[in-house]
Every structure is written in C-alpha cells, then in structure tokens.
Amino acid sequence: MARYTGPVCKLCRREGVKLFLKGDKCLTKCTLERRNTRPGQHGASRARKESGYAKQLREKQRVRRTYGVLERQFVKHFGAAANRPGKTSENLLQILEMRLDNLVYRLGLADSRAQARQLVNHGHFAVNGRKTDIPSFIAKPNDVITVRERSKGLEYFKARALMLAQKGVPTWLSLNTNELSGRVITIPSRADLELPFDEQMVVEYYQR
C-alpha cells in the first residue's frame, strides 16, 4: 500500500498550520514553531498573493494530509460523499472520520493516525468480532472496534490501557478501557468535529 514516508514536520510547514501528524509530540516538539517558513530553498522568500485556486488546493491538501490519505483514495472518498444526500463537504468529513484508522486514533488507542494505520495493518483490531486489517474500512453506527485477544498481551497495549483512563473520547464514541474496545454511537455532525478546515473549499476545488 502506497503511503507518505518523508518527514511529516515538512508537511506542517508547507501548509503553515499544525496538522498534529505526530500526536502529542506536536505539543512539545513542533518544528513549525521554530521554523515557520515553507520548506525548500525559497521557503523564506516573500509571500505571494494566492489565487482562489491556490487557496482551494491548499485547503484540500491540509485535509488530505491530516487524515493521511493519498490523492487517489481521497478522490474516491470525495466521490462517495458527493453521491450521498446532504452537504458534500460534511459528508466528506464524516467518511474520513469513520475510517478505521481514524477511529483507532480518536479512541486513544494510538498517538497519531499514522501509528493507528500501522497498528490496523498489523492486524491488532477486530470490528464486530472480525479481524479487520484495512485502515480505510468505513465503520457504521453501533460498530464495535476491539483490540484482538492475542494483541492485548503486548507491552504496547498494556501501557495503553493505563493511559486510556486519563483520556477522553469524542461524544459520538464510547470507550471501554477494561476491554480495550470502543463503539461508534453515531455519525458525527460538523458541530462535533473541532477541525481547522474550510471543507467547502475542498468541494469547490473538485467541482471547478
């Protein structure tokens, strides 16, 4: 499966905002706070006035990179969002939030979406009792995500169980710290998602 393997701090510098691609480390060790310029030889040069297209492109890239989705998969998600009833922009965010790798991250079972994606790929999780190792799997309300029994004995998940008691989860999810499992209560609305995006610009980018 193709994925970005370069330095993630460079992505935050390119977008000019914190994307929290390294989890809690972004709160204590943030390259963007020390080097608030675009990467590359001319990153510190005088800023140019962005066109409407450039603003739409940057917003699309921010959303895509935050969720760790490559362009081909992102276009697929956008197509699914456009075919659903309701606002395409909100549908897109809901699809991204209901991805299995994002749910593992939201439940606090991983420090970042990239780490969550790796854990899912390695087969540590089950959805409704069935092993699921596809990060792009789209969950539904009442689905239960559980750490598999064979994985609960790993040192990582033993340490994670102790940390979960100190972490909260979004209101549209529930967490059972004893069982290392979580349940999707409902599909989140835009008001439930505190995201620094203007997702309508993403829609405009693809519909231009």
Side-chain angles (χ1 to χ4, degrees):
M1 182 183 69
R3 60 189 178 91
Y4 176 77
T5 58
V8 294
C9 289
K10 183 180 289 187
L11 299 182
C12 294
R13 289 176 58 203
R14 178 63 188 90
E15 303 307 330
V17 294
K18 279 189 180 184
L19 302 178
F20 293 96
L21 302 179
K22 296 169 71 175
D24 291 341
K25 287 184 179 179
C26 294
L27 299 174
T28 56
K29 294 183 178 181
C30 180
T31 305
L32 183 64
E33 294 177 353
R34 292 183 284 109
R35 300 177 62 188
N36 192 9
T37 59
R38 292 178 299 172
Q41 181 180 359
H42 304 290
S45 61
R46 183 168 59 89
R48 299 177 181 177
K49 183 178 180 181
E50 288 188 330
S51 65
Y53 169 79
K55 292 177 181 178
Q56 294 167 1
L57 173 62
R58 292 269 58 84
E59 203 65 29
K60 186 265 293 186
Q61 294 293 73
R62 290 186 185 114
V63 176
R64 188 176 67 77
R65 287 169 171 169
T66 294
Y67 288 96
V69 181
L70 294 182
E71 183 66 26
R72 185 174 179 179
Q73 185 75 59
F74 194 77
V75 171
K76 182 179 178 180
H77 288 328
F78 181 83
N83 289 330
R84 289 186 179 184
K87 293 181 64 176
T88 300
S89 56
E90 186 168 342
N91 291 342
L92 176 61
L93 290 183
Q94 288 173 344
I95 290 173
L96 293 170
E97 285 290 327
M98 296 294 276
R99 283 172 55 103
L100 180 57
D101 53 0
N102 182 75
L103 292 174
V104 169
Y105 166 69
R106 291 292 193 192
L107 289 168
L109 296 170
D111 290 326
S112 66
R113 290 180 178 89
Q115 185 183 44
R117 187 159 49 254
Q118 185 180 48
L119 291 171
V120 173
N121 272 327
H122 289 179
H124 294 301
F125 294 95
V127 178
N128 299 330
R130 298 184 62 179
K131 175 186 174 182
T132 307
D133 56 5
I134 303 173
S136 60
F137 174 85
I138 305 297
K140 302 181 297 296
N142 296 318
D143 279 355
V144 177
I145 295 97
T146 312
V147 177
R148 298 177 68 204
E149 287 298 327
R150 59 178 292 182
S151 300
K152 289 180 180 178
L154 299 176
E155 287 300 320
Y156 171 83
F157 287 108
K158 289 181 180 179
R160 183 60 53 172
L162 299 176
M163 295 171 57
L164 287 177
Q166 306 172 7
K167 290 196 172 187
V169 296
T171 57
W172 49 279
L173 297 173
S174 65
L175 175 67
N176 186 327
T177 56
N178 294 325
E179 296 295 328
L180 284 178
S181 67
R183 184 170 68 88
V184 180
I185 299 174
T186 185
I187 297 176
S189 67
R190 183 61 179 93
D192 296 325
L193 305 174
E194 297 181 1
L195 298 170
F197 303 138
D198 182 356
E199 59 275 11
Q200 184 56 39
M201 294 185 71
V202 180
V203 176
E204 294 170 1
Y205 171 83
Y206 283 114
Q207 292 182 343
R208 69 191 187 281

